[in-house]
Amino acid sequence: MTVRIYHNPRCSKSRQTLALLTEHGETPEIIEYLQTPPSADELRHLLSLLGIAPRELMRTDEDEYRELGLDAPSLSSEQLIDAMVAHPRLIQRPIVVYGERAAIGRPPENVLALLGPRS
């Protein structure tokens, strides 16, 4: 099975997570999600794998989050997903997917549970 990482090379946690995967013998498929943003369907799938709501995947400390009024509790899940598609900087990073499981690498060690026991 291939490990996939939604990666931002400018983010220290994302770089640390990628290094941790490599140290554990993985050669992940790297998706630089700022260059190739995930579609709404892809985000729905990631949310399902992560078991979280759209707002939990958002970087609420980003200026864009406030400027776009995304803190409004009346916004639907679909509106939040659409905002992440249009503004991928709002997506929490890194996201690591392994099979039908996913984890956010904050802290980077969170992703090790996806890999299972190592011999």
Side-chain angles (χ1 to χ4, degrees), residues 19 22 27-28 41 44 49 57 64 67-68 72 78 81 96 108 113:
T22 302
T27 306
D41 284 341
R44 281 187 213 93
L49 294 177
L57 188 60
E64 285 173 288
E67 291 166 4
L68 295 169
E78 286 307 309
I81 289 169
V96 175

Side-chain angles (χ1 to χ4, degrees), residues 55 58 60 64-75 80:
R55 196 175 304 276
M58 298 181 89
T60 58
E64 285 173 288
Y65 183 81
R66 288 181 298 283
E67 291 166 4
L68 295 169
L70 297 172
D71 54 348
S74 61
L75 293 175
L80 295 174

